[in-house]
Amino acid sequence: MDAQSDVEMLARTELFRGAPAEALDEARSTLFRRHVAADTAVLRQGDAATSLYLLVTGRLRVIETTQDGQQIIIRYVGPGEVAGEAALSADEICPGALIAVEDSDLVGWSTAAIRDLMTTYPAVALNAVELLGARYRDIQIRLRELSTEKVERRIAHTILRLAEQAGRRTARGIEISFPLSRQDLAEMCGTTLHTVSRTLSAWEERGIVHCGRRRVVLAKAALLDTIAENEDG
Amino acid sequence: MDAQSDVEMLARTELFRGAPAEALDEARSTLFRRHVAADTAVLRQGDAATSLYLLVTGRLRVIETTQDGQQIIIRYVGPGEVAGEAALSADEICPGALIAVEDSDLVGWSTAAIRDLMTTYPAVALNAVELLGARYRDIQIRLRELSTEKVERRIAHTILRLAEQAGRRTARGIEISFPLSRQDLAEMCGTTLHTVSRTLSAWEERGIVHCGRRRVVLAKAALLDTIAENEDG
DNA sequence: CGGACTTTTGAAGTAATTCAAGGGGAGTGG
DNA sequence: CCACTCCCCTTGAATTACTTCAAAAGTCCG
């Protein structure tokens, strides 16, 4: 890949958007590349956070495992997004694992390189602040949903969000563009795969979604929206 | 209050720790002060985030209200902590209200002043990154608890955290140093005041806590810890 | 001492989990 | 190409943790 296209790619990301050319140059010259196969770990929970990653192509998920082995999915990461944000802070431990859902290409930087970039170029530091603020907002919304909503609404909100984030228009509706099992949805909503399965079956019957093995297609977003907002559906 | 003591106070906060003298001077010269009485709003949910606050004395809480009127408590803010972090990002809306639990003194800055500080002094920007990273970690932990733990463990974790954050040693145990009702605890744990009341009553019987009207004293932290970690107690 | 909050506790109800069993697709290897 | 195996998904039935409903008893403050 040539330097020019690297710089253009970086310039479009949430971390380097609006940064001066020298910042992009420095970022380009200090980055390293990684390819990970589907179902492979990029980072393990508990590792020292020594690298910050930017996803170029593919899809990752951030998961946390409790002591008794339960998993929860914190979020999915799409192209252009930063992963391993813990490395932005000093002396951090990765709070969750980062797993490739599909074959993925990443670029990364050492914490030292990132701190240098943030120190030298305020625009990068401000982008980092912006990015963390956005993550915080997202997770706060999920906290609220988990605290106040019943399962069906939570599943509805989750699917709507995924469709927004990673939806692909098809003839049958908006298809979530990566494999997503009932178990995965359960781990995002704080419920069990059984409840997710029953809920999706009920929705399938009403034509709101079409789903298959690790596949979800949202057919009637408006209807799902009314379920999510509890306006009776 | 004289300039010297202001600067010393700022130098100890999470936002300005380690910042150069000029940064502290600029911060001091651009700050404004506010006093809020107990049960008064500093910020309302939905307001444009135009100011960043630093709590000097008192106690605040961040709450979010859903469309149907349910409240959840996002966190409590103690002296030296930043509140209204949304103002660190551009064009933000306050995702929650900020309410004084006790009479409080704050200092604040306009978003313009804060962005200027972050742009000019990398140390301030890095502290902001650090601070948001810490918030993110905290809220992620709560998300995990809410997803995977039953109510009793969640209440236990919440009380342990509050005791850590705002505990005062007394003869009877560690007293949470601000008024905290059963309803408040419920809104932090995603449950109802009834369940909290029953749980605390059971713990009181075992001598783990002592509680009164809007008061909680943790008598046997070790025992509560085993409940929180589900190691049988 | 009255009135507004806060807390307690019982009883009924229910959403969702847990337990249990079976069915179906996709990929693999013979 | 078929059979085998491994996942993943579905569905019923039993259980339960928690909420909701209801009423009463404290507790603080003016």
Side-chain angles (χ1 to χ4, degrees):
Chain A
M1 201 182 289
D2 66 294
Q4 182 57 29
S5 67
D6 271 357
V7 164
E8 278 168 16
M9 183 272 287
L10 291 176
R12 284 192 304 270
T13 63
E14 49 180 352
L15 188 57
F16 294 110
R17 187 173 301 148
E22 311 88 71
L24 296 171
D25 271 348
E26 184 175 330
R28 198 204 56 77
S29 66
T30 53
L31 67 78
F32 61 88
R33 290 169 206 283
R34 247 181 107 175
H35 177 85
V36 287
D39 301 316
T40 312
V42 178
L43 292 172
R44 278 173 227 283
Q45 183 169 340
D47 281 359
T50 54
S51 307
L52 182 81
Y53 289 97
L54 187 61
L55 181 60
V56 180
T57 62
R59 179 89 38 190
L60 310 176
R61 68 162 133 191
V62 183
I63 63 175
E64 207 182 321
T65 309
T66 62
Q67 283 159 345
D68 53 321
Q70 286 180 84
Q71 289 198 344
I72 69 166
I73 297 179
I74 306 292
R75 68 188 187 99
Y76 280 89
V77 180
E81 288 183 342
V82 167
E85 309 88 63
L88 289 168
S89 306
D91 305 318
E92 265 323 307
I93 294 293
C94 292
L98 190 58
I99 312 282
V101 178
E102 305 171 321
D103 285 17
S104 300
D105 287 296
L106 305 104
V107 297
W109 292 268
S110 69
T111 45
I114 280 296
R115 290 183 83 77
D116 188 58
L117 280 162
M118 290 197 293
T119 305
T120 315
Y121 306 101
V124 176
L126 288 179
N127 280 347
V129 166
E130 205 80 32
L131 179 166
L132 288 170
R135 296 279 185 285
Y136 188 72
R137 230 173 312 124
D138 291 346
I139 206 169
Q140 184 170 324
I141 288 169
R142 289 189 53 201
L143 190 77
R144 185 192 59 211
E145 289 177 6
L146 215 42
S147 295
T148 62
E149 299 178 358
K150 298 232 180 288
V151 177
E152 188 181 26
R153 290 184 64 189
R154 297 208 301 268
I155 302 174
H157 273 128
T158 301
I159 289 182
L160 287 167
R161 221 164 9 235
L162 288 171
E164 176 98 5
Q165 245 176 54
R168 185 161 52 198
R169 296 204 163 278
T170 70
R172 315 183 62 203
I174 304 166
E175 177 177 4
I176 291 166
S177 65
F178 56 86
L180 181 74
S181 69
R182 308 291 181 272
Q183 176 74 38
D184 293 337
L185 271 170
E187 288 175 6
M188 300 186 80
C189 300
T191 181
T192 62
L193 77 157
H194 307 281
T195 301
V196 171
S197 176
R198 282 181 240 270
T199 305
L200 289 186
S201 294
W203 289 348
E204 178 100 56
E205 210 144 292
R206 295 170 61 189
I208 298 172
V209 296
H210 306 295
C211 31
R213 190 191 173 84
R214 306 220 282 163
R215 238 10 51 240
V216 177
V217 180
L218 174 53
K220 297 182 182 167
L223 244 178
L224 195 58
D225 223 74
T226 64
I227 292 172
E229 300 314 323
N230 200 24
E231 294 152 357
D232 267 66
Chain B
M1 203 181 288
D2 65 295
Q4 181 57 26
S5 66
D6 271 358
V7 163
E8 279 167 15
M9 184 272 288
L10 292 177
R12 284 192 304 270
T13 64
E14 51 181 351
L15 187 58
F16 294 110
R17 188 173 299 149
E22 311 88 72
L24 296 171
D25 271 348
E26 183 175 330
R28 199 204 57 78
S29 67
T30 53
L31 68 78
F32 62 88
R33 291 169 205 282
R34 246 182 108 175
H35 177 85
V36 288
D39 300 317
T40 313
V42 177
L43 291 171
R44 278 173 226 283
Q45 184 169 341
D47 282 359
T50 54
S51 307
L52 181 81
Y53 289 98
L54 186 62
L55 181 60
V56 180
T57 61
R59 179 87 40 188
L60 309 176
R61 67 163 135 191
V62 183
I63 63 175
E64 207 183 321
T65 308
T66 62
Q67 282 159 345
D68 53 323
Q70 286 181 84
Q71 289 197 344
I72 68 165
I73 297 179
I74 306 294
R75 67 187 187 101
Y76 280 89
V77 180
E81 289 183 341
V82 166
E85 310 89 62
L88 289 168
S89 306
D91 305 319
E92 267 321 308
I93 294 294
C94 292
L98 190 58
I99 313 283
V101 178
E102 306 171 321
D103 285 18
S104 299
D105 286 296
L106 304 106
V107 297
W109 292 268
S110 69
T111 45
I114 279 296
R115 289 182 83 77
D116 187 58
L117 280 162
M118 290 196 293
T119 306
T120 314
Y121 306 102
V124 177
L126 287 180
N127 280 347
V129 166
E130 204 81 28
L131 177 166
L132 288 170
R135 294 280 185 285
Y136 187 72
R137 228 171 315 124
D138 291 346
I139 205 170
Q140 184 170 322
I141 288 169
R142 288 191 52 200
L143 190 78
R144 186 194 57 208
E145 290 177 4
L146 217 41
S147 295
T148 63
E149 299 178 359
K150 298 234 182 288
V151 177
E152 188 182 24
R153 291 184 64 188
R154 298 208 301 269
I155 301 174
H157 272 129
T158 301
I159 289 182
L160 286 167
R161 220 163 11 235
L162 288 171
E164 176 98 7
Q165 244 176 54
R168 185 161 53 195
R169 296 205 164 277
T170 71
R172 313 184 63 203
I174 304 166
E175 177 177 6
I176 292 166
S177 65
F178 56 86
L180 180 75
S181 70
R182 308 291 181 272
Q183 176 74 38
D184 293 336
L185 271 169
E187 288 175 5
M188 300 186 79
C189 300
T191 181
T192 62
L193 78 157
H194 307 280
T195 301
V196 171
S197 175
R198 282 182 239 270
T199 305
L200 289 187
S201 294
W203 290 347
E204 178 101 55
E205 211 146 292
R206 295 169 60 190
I208 298 172
V209 296
H210 305 295
C211 32
R213 190 190 172 87
R214 306 221 282 166
R215 220 80 344 253
V216 178
V217 179
L218 174 53
K220 297 182 180 165
L223 244 178
L224 195 58
D225 222 76
T226 65
I227 293 172
E229 300 315 323
N230 201 25
E231 295 152 354
D232 266 67

